Amino acid sequence: MKPLQTYRKRTQELVCVYICISLMVLNLGLILRHFRFERISNVVVAAIFGILTADFGSGLVHWGADTWGSVDLPIVGKNFLRPFREHHIDPTSITRHDFIETNGDNFMVALPILGKLAWNFFTRTNAEIQQDYAISAYLFLCSIFIALTNQIHKWSHTYWGLPRWVLFLQNHHIILPRRHHRIHHVAPHETYFCITTGWLNWPLEKIKFWSTLEAIIELSTGHKPRADDLKWAQKRA
């Protein structure tokens, strides 16, 4: 990447991270302020669905980038697909990225959700906020886990120096465990694509979700899944 492009990219990542963290703190305060104990069951269910949505989204993006397209495609190939393909060759490269580089893009994706959530809290009446409180909990947890997906993924490839609280979350499968994620890194990288919590990996594999989707796309388009990934990996090797 050229120096000017690198500078612009770094600036974009810094701005997104700082704004996103500010919105996280703001929304957390607003959610706690409007919390009512009698709604706790609805809130817990909504929050869990928010986490599951983030996990499924991470799997869908990961599956798409691993399975389809070529690294030679203009713009998309170099900037989006290539990092996923390189990660299969050097899985620990992600651990050499600092916090800003690791999380800048995902924090940017979470920004619109957090921004809309804050807007709702400030512009709606208390009655309206209470009526949609479960939806707010869903959006908040979904956005938090979307923002932290790359950090969680990075931790799943880090084998020393992790804080005890991260190890606790991994060991209790609250976030993506390291041993669980290793399954994806067995060639040809055709399973266990969800990298936020990994909760959906087993059920999606059980119902053959990804392989069925691939078969439908191959039948419709004639393109074989992971053909470019395997060819590119052999060329790199």
Side-chain angles (χ1 to χ4, degrees):
M1 191 177 289
K2 297 178 181 178
L4 181 59
Q5 291 176 316
T6 302
Y7 173 77
R8 287 174 176 170
K9 177 64 174 172
R10 183 69 175 184
T11 301
Q12 170 245 305
E13 291 169 346
L14 279 165
V15 169
C16 288
V17 166
Y18 281 112
I19 294 177
C20 193
I21 289 175
S22 299
L23 285 172
M24 286 177 184
V25 174
L26 175 62
N27 278 298
L28 177 61
L30 291 167
I31 282 175
L32 292 175
R33 177 184 172 186
H34 291 279
F35 176 73
R36 301 292 182 270
F37 188 78
E38 60 268 19
R39 296 181 179 273
I40 191 167
S41 58
N42 291 339
V43 170
V44 169
V45 171
I48 290 173
F49 272 98
I51 297 170
L52 288 171
T53 300
D55 196 40
F56 180 75
S58 74
L60 192 63
V61 172
H62 192 182
W63 167 78
D66 277 3
T67 308
W68 308 105
S70 166
V71 295
D72 298 321
L73 287 171
I75 303 176
V76 175
K78 178 182 178 181
N79 296 296
F80 181 67
L81 300 182
R82 187 184 181 100
F84 282 88
R85 310 295 166 83
E86 287 181 333
H87 180 63
H88 291 160
I89 296 172
D90 184 9
T92 61
S93 64
I94 192 174
T95 65
R96 299 189 287 274
H97 299 166
D98 66 12
F99 183 85
I100 301 298
E101 184 179 359
T102 300
N103 297 294
D105 290 339
N106 275 60
F107 275 48
M108 179 176 65
V109 173
L111 272 177
I113 307 173
L114 290 167
K116 181 63 167 63
L117 194 55
W119 174 264
N120 289 346
F121 276 116
F122 283 117
T123 59
R124 294 184 175 181
T125 65
N126 187 62
E128 290 172 330
I129 290 171
Q130 289 304 316
Q131 183 179 352
D132 294 335
Y133 192 85
I135 296 174
S136 297
Y138 167 84
L139 291 173
F140 182 67
L141 265 294
C142 182
S143 62
I144 292 295
F145 276 81
I146 287 172
L148 294 177
T149 289
N150 274 351
Q151 185 63 50
I152 293 170
H153 185 203
K154 177 180 177 179
W155 285 332
S156 75
H157 287 286
T158 304
Y159 290 93
W160 58 87
L162 285 175
R164 288 185 178 180
W165 64 270
V166 173
L167 293 174
F168 175 87
L169 294 176
Q170 289 179 333
N171 292 337
H172 290 80
H173 206 154
I174 298 170
I175 61 174
L176 184 69
R178 291 173 290 182
R179 183 174 296 179
H180 179 94
H181 186 51
R182 284 182 209 157
I183 298 171
H184 172 73
H185 279 273
V186 176
H189 317 288
E190 61 184 2
T191 187
Y192 277 44
F193 293 102
C194 299
I195 54 173
T196 303
T197 61
W199 295 352
L200 291 175
N201 281 324
W202 184 82
L204 289 176
E205 183 64 20
K206 204 68 178 172
I207 65 173
K208 301 185 183 299
F209 179 82
W210 303 115
S211 58
T212 301
L213 202 54
E214 289 167 11
I216 293 170
I217 293 173
E218 184 177 358
L219 188 65
S220 303
T221 67
H223 293 289
K224 292 186 177 295
R226 285 170 294 280
D228 181 75
D229 185 27
L230 292 171
K231 182 175 65 177
W232 188 77
Q234 290 168 356
K235 183 171 68 175
R236 292 285 294 177

